[in-house]
Amino acid sequence: MANENKLLTGMLVGALVGAAVSLFDRRTRQDVVACGKNASSKIKGYIKEPTSFTNEVKQKVEDVKDTVQEVSEDISFVNEKVKELKETTPQIVNLLQESKERFISKHQRS
């Protein structure tokens, strides 16, 4: 258990040191400030109009549902094609074998 705590503590310290070092870069500091302002602005907007937040969440949920539905349809299509291929492959192998046998027997007679 003590090792797990050391690992978690080490990861946390490493992340904090990494974040602090990255802030030495001017562009990174500007980006962090801009992201903070943007997040603050969004939160204030959600506080003023909570329905906008719920509407955005509902829209994201709908988008995810649509994406899942599309992926599900794509998987079904691929499964159907694989099934067709499994059924067709032995027929093609037999056809090729017959063609090979006819070709060999024709050339052996000549």
Side-chain angles (χ1 to χ4, degrees):
M1 185 73 176
N3 287 337
E4 291 177 19
N5 289 337
K6 287 181 183 178
L7 175 64
L8 184 59
T9 302
M11 290 172 52
L12 183 59
V13 169
L16 291 174
V17 169
V21 168
S22 70
L23 291 176
F24 288 137
D25 179 51
R26 183 175 188 215
R27 179 73 181 147
T28 302
R29 281 194 312 272
Q30 291 172 341
D31 288 345
V32 168
V33 169
C35 286
K37 288 180 181 178
N38 186 24
S40 174
S41 173
K42 278 192 166 194
I43 290 171
K44 287 177 184 176
Y46 293 147
I47 289 171
K48 288 180 182 176
E49 286 204 38
T51 56
S52 66
F53 177 74
T54 56
N55 289 339
E56 285 184 33
V57 169
K58 287 177 184 178
Q59 184 59 49
K60 293 292 181 187
V61 168
E62 286 300 315
D63 291 347
V64 169
K65 284 181 182 179
D66 291 344
T67 302
V68 167
Q69 180 65 32
E70 288 175 15
V71 169
S72 176
E73 290 171 359
D74 291 346
I75 290 172
S76 294
F77 176 79
V78 169
N79 282 336
E80 185 62 34
K81 292 301 172 187
V82 167
K83 183 180 174 185
E84 290 175 13
L85 187 61
K86 283 180 179 178
E87 293 171 355
T88 306
T89 301
Q91 296 170 359
I92 293 173
V93 169
N94 287 337
L95 180 65
L96 289 172
Q97 185 65 33
E98 289 174 8
S99 298
K100 175 184 164 189
E101 289 171 0
R102 286 184 184 172
F103 181 78
I104 291 173
S105 67
K106 181 179 178 183
H107 286 285
Q108 285 177 348
R109 284 187 256 148
S110 326

